[in-house]
Amino acid sequence: MPKLSIIIPVYGVEKYIERCCVSVFEQTYKNFELIFVNDCSKDKSEEIVLQVIKLYEALGISTKIIKHEVNKGISAVRETGLNAATGEYILYVDSDDYIAPDMLELLISRANETEADIVYCDFYEVKNGQQLYVDQSLRVAEPALITAAMLRQEIVWAPWNKIFRRSIVVEHNIHWPIGINIGEDLVVIAQLFCYAKRIEHVSNALYFYNRDNVNSYLNIWNSSTCYQNTRAVAAVNDFLIHQSFNPILFDALTQTKLMARYQMLYAFDNELLNLVGDTFPDTNDKIFSYRNTPFYWKIALFFVVKKKVLLSRLALKTIGWIRKFRSYTNS
């Protein structure tokens, strides 16, 4: 059975990383190597990792801890881990998350049976002690159609519920976009999906995605994260243009571009408000087609695009009041 490389970032996760490490060492499938990349963590995360490694050293599992000399961000962490990997397949596990005991066994078995380049699974969102099952099944099997569904956000483009062949990365010279730490996974996963000849889905929730970590990049939307996210979407657009991929992917990417524009509004930042009208203007006639935001946000973006300054600011103020009222009533 194929060897797997598991890459785990280490930064500011002393509260969670023991649970993550134990869930990996307790896997029923043991043919893997563990690569930890410490991005200059200031807490006791690495110390905890070393303790867990010692606890399981009798298993004889290869482990590496690579330390960055300066903090470089999640893209650089994932690139460092990828460069150190020797397995046939790669799996990224975020250190504030954890995995089911049979995750590796089920994903590798499906890959082995079908010769798939990518295998992905369902997952649980974990928040406040509650687990929400997130179904990732699709009614399509063609890689191009699965890729389009991913770009439409019908399945997540995160790397953590997927294993993929390392040879795709090597053959097509795929790299993580250093300096982009939000949306960076879209850049890489889009390329992997486009080059994959076969993509398989396992209909079990095998990954536990932690939504309680307030320090996560996904919990912070501001001008910096929005700029990075927009750069990521633009990079995917350039990739698709240069590679002349299936036109359905460009249609699907429209939803991704709209997502980036709406997230600029979500930040309630005046600088972003001035820029959003000129960001991905090719989607101006598709504003109301975006599926993943309430109608009032669509009205706000419409006013911004039409240069209706007073109306757009009034719309955003109204949305702000609505959010405050909901927060008050839910508290």
Side-chain angles (χ1 to χ4, degrees):
M1 294 288 276
K3 178 182 175 182
L4 188 75
S5 295
I6 303 175
I7 299 166
I8 301 178
V10 179
Y11 185 81
V13 285
E14 63 181 5
K15 183 178 178 181
Y16 306 106
I17 198 163
E18 180 179 0
R19 178 182 64 184
C20 174
C21 293
V22 169
S23 75
V24 174
F25 278 113
E26 291 286 346
Q27 289 295 298
T28 56
Y29 186 85
K30 301 296 187 187
N31 189 17
F32 64 87
E33 65 177 357
L34 257 176
I35 303 169
F36 296 94
V37 183
N38 186 345
D39 199 30
C40 295
S41 184
K42 298 176 182 178
D43 63 5
K44 296 181 179 179
S45 294
E46 183 176 324
E47 182 181 327
I48 295 168
V49 168
L50 290 169
Q51 290 171 358
V52 178
I53 290 174
K54 185 171 180 60
L55 187 65
Y56 287 93
E57 63 183 353
L59 294 178
I61 291 170
S62 172
T63 59
K64 305 173 187 174
I65 297 180
I66 303 171
K67 300 181 183 180
H68 284 168
E69 293 183 0
V70 295
N71 178 264
K72 297 181 179 181
I74 190 62
S75 272
V77 166
R78 288 177 171 157
E79 181 75 6
T80 296
L82 189 58
N83 291 338
T86 61
E88 184 176 342
Y89 285 89
I90 304 292
L91 170 67
Y92 287 97
V93 178
D94 284 350
S95 44
D96 51 354
D97 302 334
Y98 56 103
I99 60 179
D102 55 351
M103 180 178 184
L104 303 189
E105 181 178 358
L106 291 176
L107 296 189
I108 285 289
S109 293
R110 179 63 63 85
N112 209 43
E113 292 165 3
T114 62
E115 298 184 352
D117 294 316
I118 298 172
V119 183
Y120 68 99
C121 63
D122 302 339
F123 62 94
Y124 288 106
E125 282 192 358
V126 182
K127 188 173 180 63
N128 298 325
Q130 302 295 313
Q131 295 180 357
L132 174 66
Y133 193 106
V134 183
D135 187 354
Q136 296 287 278
S137 62
L138 298 168
R139 296 182 178 179
V140 296
E142 280 285 322
L145 297 179
I146 296 174
T147 304
M150 180 269 294
L151 292 173
R152 291 192 298 267
Q153 303 153 73
E154 293 172 19
I155 61 173
V156 296
W157 55 58
W160 37 251
N161 68 328
K162 305 168 181 69
I163 62 170
F164 59 88
R165 284 191 195 274
R166 187 166 60 90
S167 59
I168 298 179
V169 173
V170 174
E171 181 180 350
H172 298 286
N173 197 30
I174 297 173
H175 296 281
W176 288 88
I178 308 301
I180 298 179
N181 296 305
I182 191 81
E184 80 292 340
D185 38 11
L186 170 63
V187 178
V188 171
I189 297 300
Q191 294 179 69
L192 291 171
F193 272 48
C194 283
Y195 288 126
K197 295 177 181 176
R198 182 161 185 158
I199 302 172
E200 285 284 322
H201 170 247
V202 172
S203 56
N204 300 73
L206 303 172
Y207 193 93
F208 294 82
Y209 172 43
N210 176 21
R211 297 301 302 271
D212 288 325
N213 186 2
V214 295
N215 296 317
S216 169
Y217 268 104
L218 293 182
N219 288 326
I220 304 169
W221 284 106
N222 52 38
S223 58
S224 175
T225 54
C226 285
Y227 284 137
Q228 292 177 62
N229 190 54
T230 301
R231 286 172 57 200
V233 176
V236 175
N237 186 65
D238 291 344
F239 166 72
L240 294 178
I241 290 172
H242 292 145
Q243 298 298 326
S244 301
F245 280 108
N246 194 317
I248 68 167
L249 299 182
F250 290 99
D251 292 336
L253 189 63
T254 295
Q255 292 293 307
T256 314
K257 292 178 179 178
L258 286 169
M259 173 211 68
R261 300 184 83 179
Y262 281 114
Q263 284 169 339
M264 293 173 78
L265 290 185
Y266 299 161
F268 285 95
D269 182 283
N270 286 331
E271 183 180 354
L272 292 174
L273 184 60
N274 293 329
L275 294 174
V276 68
D278 298 319
T279 301
F280 304 129
D282 55 307
T283 64
N284 283 350
D285 60 342
K286 303 287 196 311
I287 288 172
F288 292 95
S289 73
Y290 186 63
R291 308 168 185 176
N292 298 326
T293 201
F295 187 74
Y296 48 75
W297 282 111
K298 300 176 184 181
I299 292 292
L301 183 55
F302 175 79
F303 285 148
V304 171
V305 165
K306 295 299 182 181
K307 310 294 184 184
K308 305 293 185 181
V309 177
L310 291 178
L311 286 174
S312 61
R313 294 189 184 279
L314 177 60
L316 288 172
K317 270 194 173 183
T318 303
I319 292 170
W321 292 332
I322 292 171
R323 293 175 68 180
K324 285 181 181 178
F325 177 75
R326 286 181 175 174
S327 176
Y328 174 78
T329 56
N330 291 333
S331 63

